[in-house]
Amino acid sequence: MTKSVADRYDFETGIYRPPSEGGSNSLLVRLTRNCPWNRCTFCGMYKTEKFQVRSVAEIKKDIDAMAALRDDMAALSGRSGQPGEVSHQGAVALIGKYPELNYHQGFAMLYHWLLSGAKTVFLQDANSLIMKTDQLVDVLTYLRRTFPSIVRITSYARSKTLMQKPIGELRAIRQAGLDRVHVGLESGDDTVLEKIRKGATAEVHIKGGRKALDAGFQLSEYWMPGLGGKALWQAHATNTARVLSEIDPHYIRSRPFRPWDGTPMAREMAEQSFEMLTAGGQLRELRLTMETLSVTGRVCFDHAGNYWRDRKGRLLFSHSYEGYKFPEEKKAVLDRIEEGLKRPSEFR
């Protein structure tokens, strides 16, 4: 883009976000770059980049650029007969005026978000709560003031960060407008957590999760069926259910383990020091986790990795972001697992 256009419209966007914050669902606002921990042996994200906390001034400049795009599209949309609203005609008119926008990394994302109602935001990258509290509060306040249509803001967070932040600071962040935190639990078993170099114990996960709830956040915890392999599947299943039951988050989301090329766990598999569960083995582990789980939130299979199918070849679980309400639908989930186990093993 030419310098004048770049100055007015340029903003930075990261790559990763939860599926529930993808597509036109959420505006992606980058507060940090990459992951401050970045040692998990199963993960291939952020491995080539250094972690950085962006300055408040830099983040506000991005928000201003997004607002400028919104305002200029709305002005051109008004000339097309739709005053005050962003329309397809307004976007086309702005691109006609500045063809460089065809190559803008975040223009399409912003445009579709505005068309969808501009309601939700996801703060990138891996752990926005690591920012100094006063800076994060400043950004949240500015973001909501600039886009008053926002009804929900979410972010990834590490259990250890949540545990270490004073409760007063967490409540200040919540009051400033951060509504939901997504936390990678992965496992509740200390042996598995140590093997994958998660940087958190089961107790840290429990304390961090409870503190997030005490601060008033909606809490979404992710766990990885199959992460213990054949050697540790029972401990992984029962201890994960125990930790999740002690936290009792609003959402529990399944992300079945798959080897990521180039990661230490992929090398362990190649060297046969880690033996992965079969699809049926994962379902038996999942059955044990669900049988042991005692929560009042929702259990979700909202990811393509939850690939198990029933005897008719249909997906075993709904991929809805709202999932299944527990304990009311616990039996329905267990019944679906049994249905999956009845499918011939070669087709699971």
Side-chain angles (χ1 to χ4, degrees):
M1 288 188 288
T2 62
K3 189 175 187 302
S4 60
V5 176
D7 285 346
R8 182 165 175 77
Y9 296 143
D10 190 43
F11 61 86
E12 188 172 322
T13 302
I15 298 172
Y16 301 108
R17 79 290 181 279
S20 58
E21 310 293 348
S24 61
N25 289 324
S26 290
L27 180 68
L28 306 180
V29 180
R30 198 173 200 185
L31 275 58
T32 65
R33 298 184 181 101
N34 312 307
C35 177
W37 176 248
N38 209 11
R39 301 175 195 174
C40 299
T41 61
F42 63 86
C43 180
M45 297 158 59
Y46 312 117
K47 295 305 181 188
T48 62
E49 305 293 337
K50 181 181 177 182
F51 176 74
Q52 295 175 306
V53 177
R54 303 182 72 206
S55 70
V56 172
E58 191 177 5
I59 298 165
K60 285 184 175 179
K61 186 174 181 296
D62 279 5
I63 295 169
D64 288 341
M66 295 172 181
L69 276 167
R70 173 201 60 191
D71 295 343
D72 291 353
M73 278 191 284
L76 291 168
S77 297
R79 292 171 197 160
S80 302
Q82 300 175 57
E85 295 182 5
V86 170
S87 68
H88 176 71
Q89 291 84 354
V92 170
L94 191 63
I95 291 172
K97 188 175 181 180
Y98 302 114
E100 305 97 317
L101 288 173
N102 282 300
Y103 309 102
H104 190 293
Q105 64 173 351
F107 177 78
M109 179 264 297
L110 177 68
Y111 165 65
H112 288 293
W113 178 69
L114 291 167
L115 285 186
S116 72
K119 294 180 180 179
T120 61
V121 175
F122 179 71
L123 306 179
Q124 297 174 305
D125 275 334
N127 187 18
S128 302
L129 273 79
I130 204 170
M131 288 183 72
K132 292 181 179 179
T133 297
D134 60 336
Q135 295 180 352
L136 182 52
V137 166
D138 189 5
V139 167
L140 287 164
T141 302
Y142 191 77
L143 178 59
R144 282 192 175 268
R145 186 167 64 242
T146 306
F147 291 96
S149 61
I150 292 171
V151 296
R152 189 186 77 208
I153 300 176
T154 71
S155 174
Y156 283 135
R158 295 190 71 230
S159 293
K160 197 166 189 178
T161 302
L162 290 165
M163 184 187 74
Q164 291 175 337
K165 280 264 189 188
I167 187 64
E169 293 190 20
L170 289 176
R171 287 173 178 160
I173 293 167
R174 172 67 190 94
Q175 289 167 9
L178 182 61
D179 301 284
R180 179 185 295 175
V181 288
H182 297 270
V183 176
L185 176 85
E186 324 310 357
S187 178
D189 182 73
D190 281 335
T191 301
V192 174
L193 289 168
E194 184 178 1
K195 282 181 175 293
I196 65 171
R197 298 186 68 192
K198 182 63 185 175
T201 62
E203 188 64 20
V204 167
H205 279 314
I206 292 168
K207 288 180 177 178
R210 285 179 169 175
K211 205 168 183 181
L213 293 171
D214 189 26
F217 294 110
Q218 272 198 349
L219 179 60
S220 181
E221 296 268 2
Y222 295 74
W223 104 98
M224 301 184 75
L227 190 60
K230 288 189 176 181
L232 296 169
W233 75 269
Q234 288 176 301
H236 173 54
T238 56
N239 285 321
T240 298
R242 176 186 65 83
V243 169
L244 287 170
S245 298
E246 290 198 42
I247 298 170
D248 197 10
H250 297 87
Y251 294 93
I252 297 168
R253 302 186 190 275
S254 165
R255 298 291 183 268
F257 169 69
R258 294 290 178 275
W260 191 321
D261 286 347
T263 61
M265 286 197 74
R267 290 193 290 274
E268 288 177 27
M269 286 188 62
E271 295 164 359
Q272 298 184 336
S273 59
F274 178 89
E275 193 172 1
M276 190 168 170
L277 291 174
T278 62
Q282 279 195 2
L283 282 176
R284 283 185 285 273
E285 179 197 290
L286 184 63
R287 178 174 60 190
L288 180 57
T289 304
M290 294 295 102
E291 285 173 343
T292 313
L293 189 67
S294 179
V295 294
T296 60
R298 308 191 77 90
V299 177
C300 309
F301 302 89
D302 55 337
H303 188 272
N306 297 286
Y307 67 95
W308 309 288
R309 295 183 180 273
D310 63 19
R311 284 178 288 180
K312 295 183 178 180
R314 301 169 301 192
L315 284 171
L316 204 57
F317 301 110
S318 164
H319 282 188
S320 161
Y321 298 137
E322 293 301 307
Y324 300 85
K325 181 69 173 70
F326 272 45
E328 293 87 341
E329 294 182 278
K330 178 174 179 173
K331 183 179 183 302
V333 170
L334 287 169
D335 287 347
R336 294 303 293 160
I337 293 170
E338 293 302 325
E339 171 64 24
L341 286 168
K342 290 175 183 176
R343 182 170 166 84
S345 58
E346 64 268 30
F347 297 121
R348 283 192 195 131

